[in-house]
Amino acid sequence: MKNLSLFERAKKVIPGGVNSPVRAFGAVGGNPPFIKWGCGSKIYDEEGNEYIDLFMSWGPLILGHGRKEVIQKLTEAVLNGTSYGAPTELEILLAEEIIDSLPSIELIRFVNSGTEAVMSAVRLARAFTKRKFLVKFDGCYHGHSDSMLVSAGSGALTFGIPSSPGVPEEIAGLTIVLPYNSSEGVKELFSKRGEEIACVIVEPVAGNMGVVLPEKGFLETLRDETKKYGAILIFDEVITGFRISEGGAQGAFKISPDLTCLGKIIGGGLPVGAYGGKREIMEMVSPSGPVYQAGTLSGNPLAMTAGLETIRILKKEKLYDILEERTRKLAGAIGKILKEKGIPHWLNQIASMFTIFFTNEQVKDLTTAKKSDITLFKKFFHALLKRGIYLPPSQFEAIFLSTAHTDEDLEKIISAVEEAVKEI
Ligand code: PLP
């Protein structure tokens, strides 16, 4: 009952009881457990229940909860103070590590969230091109800045808010929305309005309508068309950066964007964001150039420390192949169980992220993602939660595996799925 009483208490002082909407279980029903602590692949709630965590703080915790080396570095760092508002060597070290892995980035600026990174990158693209319009794709989520709350994914999708009240029509009107994976749509738009478009922003692998992979030629088309018409190509790699590979999705798909937005993993579980790219563009950012952007806690020493240690471990231990193999094994086993039970499903997986959609149809964009049987997802979610497996509480999110998930965890998840499907 402690979880429930905390939720009731939270609702008295925090809108909906949560500080980010999807945490409230609105999409799956019921009440969220209140988490007391996490360790490795597990989280524990206030009532002492243990869960194998399959959303890992929505992506940042690729090394699991409380990875020893990260905690040790953080502990040392915190003893030196928590913020100075003055430059530190840590910021250079993290910038150098990122630039070393993502060659499209020549200069990088740290901020405090993915939302801030995207908002700043879009401002920069508009300033650089002296154009107003931006193109995004249906079901992609790029944080909650006004221009991006138009046909957004993630919580905005889960809650069925295509755009939020409070976003003036004049601002939403500058955002052009196209279906994900529609190369033809992109070509047609550019042929008509190419000279007006400041930038195209895309999740190179979408993670916010569930996982949706780019079809062959889609990212190439974005690169070609933006180049041809002098628009900026922004890859939002807030999820995929250091997740899909050390070089992110751009490394895996071998496409070099003009600007990249990062977050999540590069902060190792602390609040962070970053945007970076071609020197020529980034030099327009204040104080090198006229495009204003600032932040009291940007480049915060604790976030830099956690991010730096996380990236160093990822590089040193070369963990991506193992993670991918484990994820494929898990997703494959779940798929097999669903197939044996005759439950319609479609699995999209890449590296250590995947989504199970409850539809037979291939999921390649928002329209096909929405064909998933949400009622079945809700039942599946609760049947697993009851058995100590915590999926992201929405159909339209990605399941993330970490290096802390053991073979034993995978076996437990698979047996729980076997039991759960009998119930649903
Ligand atoms: N971009 C993508 C692709 C995301 O998935 C998210 C958050 O989930 C964001 C941007 C916004 O990041 P934040 O929640 O740190 O503001």
Side-chain angles (χ1 to χ4, degrees):
M1 288 310 281
K2 184 147 184 219
N3 286 328
L4 186 58
S5 71
L6 286 173
F7 195 36
E8 293 308 324
R9 223 173 101 202
K11 282 193 268 191
K12 291 189 183 136
V13 286
I14 299 169
V18 289
N19 283 308
S20 198
V22 98
R23 294 179 198 170
F25 275 26
V28 287
N31 303 304
F34 274 60
I35 303 305
K36 194 162 184 183
W37 64 292
C39 179
S41 59
K42 316 247 175 40
I43 45 179
Y44 299 84
D45 71 15
E46 291 279 355
E47 293 174 13
N49 299 308
E50 176 185 282
Y51 306 91
I52 297 178
D53 185 355
L54 285 179
F55 65 106
M56 303 311 287
S57 188
W58 305 92
L61 301 179
I62 192 166
L63 301 178
H65 293 274
R67 169 85 183 214
K68 195 176 73 227
E69 297 91 326
V70 178
I71 298 299
Q72 195 169 341
K73 291 280 180 198
L74 269 175
T75 311
E76 286 162 21
V78 82
L79 293 174
N80 292 331
T82 55
S83 174
Y84 320 116
T88 61
E89 188 184 5
L90 279 168
E91 292 155 90
I92 311 171
L93 292 172
L94 183 56
E96 287 171 348
E97 286 289 358
I98 294 173
I99 288 171
D100 172 59
S101 297
L102 295 155
S104 74
I105 301 183
E106 293 172 326
L107 287 176
I108 186 164
R109 168 60 63 83
F110 291 108
V111 292
N112 299 295
S113 68
T115 297
E116 231 187 292
V118 168
M119 189 181 79
S120 312
V122 166
R123 180 183 305 137
L124 179 59
R126 283 175 163 153
F128 187 80
T129 56
K130 302 192 177 65
R131 300 174 185 174
K132 278 192 236 173
F133 288 92
L134 67 94
V135 178
K136 79 177 282 290
F137 296 92
D138 212 6
C140 283
Y141 178 69
H142 302 290
H144 62 88
S145 66
D146 285 355
S147 308
M148 292 299 149
L149 279 183
V150 183
S151 294
S154 192
L157 175 59
T158 303
F159 289 87
I161 310 166
S163 57
S164 169
V167 177
E169 278 165 29
E170 292 83 347
I171 291 180
L174 297 176
T175 302
I176 302 169
V177 182
L178 291 175
Y180 195 77
N181 269 328
S182 170
S183 298
E184 284 316 307
V186 172
K187 283 185 200 157
E188 199 187 321
L189 174 71
F190 269 93
S191 71
K192 289 186 188 141
R193 303 184 61 183
E195 311 285 337
E196 294 173 79
I197 294 165
C199 61
V200 173
I201 184 163
V202 69
E203 288 183 74
V205 169
N208 286 293
M209 47 181 144
V211 173
V212 176
L213 305 184
E215 292 192 320
K216 207 161 180 288
F218 177 58
L219 298 176
E220 288 80 357
T221 301
L222 300 186
R223 183 61 288 180
D224 293 347
E225 293 296 307
T226 45
K227 202 175 214 164
K228 188 161 140 197
Y229 288 91
I232 303 292
L233 178 60
I234 307 177
F235 270 12
D236 180 349
E237 296 230 41
V238 167
I239 288 182
T240 53
F242 292 94
R243 166 68 61 183
I244 300 285
S245 75
E246 192 192 306
Q250 54 193 267
F253 291 96
K254 302 197 172 24
I255 306 280
S256 183
D258 301 305
L259 292 175
T260 299
C261 298
L262 294 166
K264 302 202 190 245
I265 291 176
I266 66 154
L270 272 83
V272 91
Y275 64 106
K278 291 197 173 128
R279 181 173 297 275
E280 184 195 2
I281 307 173
M282 288 300 293
E283 272 180 345
M284 284 192 77
V285 177
S286 181
S288 308
V291 178
Y292 195 69
Q293 182 271 306
T296 302
L297 293 173
S298 295
N300 175 272
L302 301 184
M304 297 295 104
T305 299
L308 187 58
E309 192 56 21
T310 299
I311 289 176
R312 282 181 172 165
I313 292 172
L314 284 169
K315 288 189 183 186
K316 192 170 81 197
E317 299 190 1
K318 309 221 173 304
L319 299 161
Y320 288 101
D321 288 346
I322 304 166
L323 252 177
E324 164 131 42
E325 191 194 309
R326 284 241 163 103
T327 311
R328 203 178 301 128
K329 184 175 148 198
L330 177 63
I334 297 175
K336 191 160 166 263
I337 297 167
L338 295 172
K339 191 168 173 207
E340 277 163 11
K341 278 277 158 195
I343 298 173
H345 65 282
W346 186 271
L347 253 162
N348 279 340
Q349 179 252 325
I350 182 168
S352 50
M353 56 196 273
F354 69 102
T355 299
I356 312 149
F357 296 93
F358 292 100
T359 167
N360 272 330
E361 218 177 292
Q362 183 197 359
V363 176
K364 59 184 176 83
D365 55 19
L366 182 61
T367 309
T368 43
K370 279 184 164 170
K371 299 227 161 118
S372 186
D373 182 341
I374 304 297
T375 312
L376 200 55
F377 174 80
K378 287 184 196 175
K379 287 187 192 158
F380 187 61
F381 172 85
H382 281 292
L384 285 179
L385 190 68
K386 202 160 77 180
R387 293 173 172 84
I389 313 295
Y390 202 155
L391 293 179
S394 159
Q395 169 68 87
F396 303 108
E397 303 286 352
I399 289 173
F400 293 110
L401 233 63
S402 76
T403 59
H405 287 89
T406 60
D407 285 339
E408 197 191 334
D409 290 330
L410 300 200
E411 278 158 28
K412 275 194 192 156
I413 299 165
I414 294 166
S415 344
V417 171
E418 272 165 355
E419 291 299 310
V421 291
K422 288 183 199 152
E423 193 177 306
I424 65 172

